[in-house]
Amino acid sequence: LSRIQSIAAKFELKITMKLLLVLFISLLLVNAISAVKHEKKVVRTRELKKRNNSVNTRRSGTFISILNAAQNPTPCDSDALGNGIFTYKDGMLCATVSYQGLKDGDVENRSHIHGPAAIGENYSDIIATFYNRNTAGTEGELPGTNKNICYNLDEINEAKDYEVGTLEEFLFDGLLLVNIHSDFCDKGEIRGQILPMGM
């Protein structure tokens, strides 16, 4: 009888040890899951603060542009001139552009904001279209020598799948430009860099 009791006691001890081990492992898992959840919450909080700080510290400014033939990589023979005033705030770029004197009384066939490119360098993209003869009548397009329009650079930035803030960086780094294309000079008769006031 004592032997049976001894075996039973050992068996109970083993069961108790296994239960304690399972309980210990369960506690470790619970702690690990809680730690992961806490870390995710911390990361989300940091991202939210970063996003809020980014929104609160967005830049704004006024920009100018002087358009002439000389700023193109290969200038056309034109005495046309133009100018532009731009304001930027909360992702909105508003432009007032005028020009005159295209070669032989020509008229534009296209006009755009391009970038990124420094003065005299080839650009890689069309950022916004003032006017395109091939899509004449499209809402928001402005033919003629005087243009007054606003563009949401945040929306353009997203549509082009750029990293957040890329177009704002291009703008403040002086890497956006206006180009007026004509039949006489299809690559661009006059061009002007959009530069921050005081630059």
Side-chain angles (χ1 to χ4, degrees), residues 21-188:
L21 181 60
V22 169
L23 180 61
F24 179 70
I25 293 173
S26 299
L27 288 173
L28 287 178
L29 288 173
V30 169
N31 287 334
I33 292 171
S34 297
V36 169
K37 288 182 177 179
H38 176 72
E39 182 62 25
K40 286 183 177 180
K41 185 177 180 180
V42 169
V43 170
R44 282 197 299 269
T45 301
R46 288 174 182 168
E47 289 177 348
L48 183 60
K49 286 182 178 179
K50 185 177 180 181
R51 190 177 301 117
N52 289 338
N53 288 338
S54 176
V55 170
N56 292 334
T57 59
R58 293 197 65 167
R59 292 179 285 182
S60 61
T62 303
F63 304 78
I64 60 171
S65 181
I66 305 299
L67 287 73
N68 54 40
Q71 293 180 61
N72 277 302
T74 306
C76 292
D77 180 20
S78 174
D79 294 325
L81 294 172
N83 61 74
I85 297 291
F86 303 79
T87 59
Y88 180 76
K89 185 176 181 181
D90 296 331
M92 295 297 297
L93 178 67
C94 293
T96 300
V97 177
S98 63
Y99 66 90
Q100 62 181 1
L102 295 184
K103 187 77 170 184
D104 297 328
D106 202 357
V107 295
E108 67 182 276
N109 57 41
R110 303 184 315 284
S111 51
H112 306 107
I113 295 175
H114 292 285
I119 295 175
E121 293 183 353
N122 290 313
Y123 50 79
S124 60
D125 203 357
I126 295 173
I127 306 303
T129 298
F130 290 119
Y131 172 72
N132 186 332
R133 181 189 293 160
N134 295 327
T135 57
T138 300
E139 184 178 356
E141 291 196 7
L142 301 172
T145 58
N146 295 289
K147 308 177 189 299
N148 193 342
I149 193 169
C150 294
Y151 298 104
N152 189 321
L153 291 193
D154 289 345
E155 291 182 357
I156 297 173
N157 199 94
E158 183 176 356
K160 291 184 174 296
D161 201 28
Y162 291 155
E163 289 187 13
V164 174
T166 295
L167 288 181
E168 185 175 293
E169 289 295 325
F170 288 166
L171 176 64
F172 280 86
D173 288 343
L175 296 177
L176 298 183
L177 60 104
V178 174
N179 203 2
I180 308 296
H181 306 261
S182 66
D183 290 340
F184 167 72
C185 191
D186 190 68
K187 63 189 175 183

